[in-house]
């Protein structure tokens, strides 16, 4: 019985989450209310709050899952690369593609601008829920860079925590630039990302 109950709870959580993402995509994040999410998911408002404390939590849970998927796949492929630039660009490509699976460019345009000024070294003004997800991504990226150091592809004395912070911080800016295009030019974006990453890597090798 407990197994069935857990399955039902997991299904209800996915239904609420997907309903919220659909509303975010169609009418924007700020314009969407928890009441609308509950109505679309065919549950009560208290039920939505029982699973998610806010609509931010719904969005961030999906983004965190996408980040972890990108990191896990990139780390699995490290041994295939003789060049750390290829490994990091592979991660960046996966991270961007999976981010777009969660939210379309228009929604990123709404979410990112207020957050970018808060993502510097002092993140005290960053909303706590977003800070947790961002910190987790930086930690995962630190592990990826650590793998590259262990493989001899980056210098052993590299400050991998700061390098991870720098790559993540600049990655947010690059993502916003891509999203501001009415028709995102991903080929140019990947080329620009590779050039900027190569420049940063020149001090890491």
């Amino acid at each position: 019985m407990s197994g069935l109950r857990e399955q039902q709870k997991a299904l209800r959580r996915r239904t609420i989450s997907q309903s919220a993402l659909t509303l975010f995509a169609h009418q924007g994040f700020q314009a969407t209310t928890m009441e609308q999410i509950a109505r679309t998911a065919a549950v009560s408002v208290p039920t939505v709050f029982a699973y998610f404390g806010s609509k931010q939590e719904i969005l961030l849970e999906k983004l965190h899952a996408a980040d972890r998927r990108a990191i896990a796949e990139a780390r699995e492929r490290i041994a295939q690369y003789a060049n750390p630039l290829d490994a990091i660009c592979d991660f960046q490509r996966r991270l961007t593609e999976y981010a777009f699976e969660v939210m379309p460019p228009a929604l990123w345009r709404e979410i990112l601008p207020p957050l970018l000024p808060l993502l510097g070294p002092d993140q005290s003004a960053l909303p706590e829920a977003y800070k947790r997800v961002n910190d987790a991504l930086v930690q995962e990226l630190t592990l990826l860079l650590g793998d590259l150091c262990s493989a001899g592809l980056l210098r052993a004395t590299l400050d991998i925590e700061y390098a991870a912070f720098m790559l993540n911080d600049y990655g947010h800016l690059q993502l916003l630039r891509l999203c501001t295009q009415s028709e995102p030019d991903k080929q140019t974006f990947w080329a620009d990302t590779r050039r900027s990453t190569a420049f940063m890597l020149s001090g890491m090798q």
Side-chain angles (χ1 to χ4, degrees), residues 159-171:
D159 184 344
I160 57 175
E161 291 184 357
Y162 184 74
F165 160 78
M166 182 176 62
L167 286 169
N168 177 64
D169 203 53
Y170 190 69

Side-chain angles (χ1 to χ4, degrees), residues 63-74:
L63 290 177
H64 184 47
D67 291 346
R68 289 182 62 84
R69 178 183 172 195
I71 282 285
E73 292 179 2

Side-chain angles (χ1 to χ4, degrees), residues 85-96:
L85 178 60
D86 292 331
I88 293 175
C89 286
D90 175 64
F91 158 70
Q92 291 170 325
R93 180 182 292 267
R94 292 171 188 275
L95 190 67
T96 303

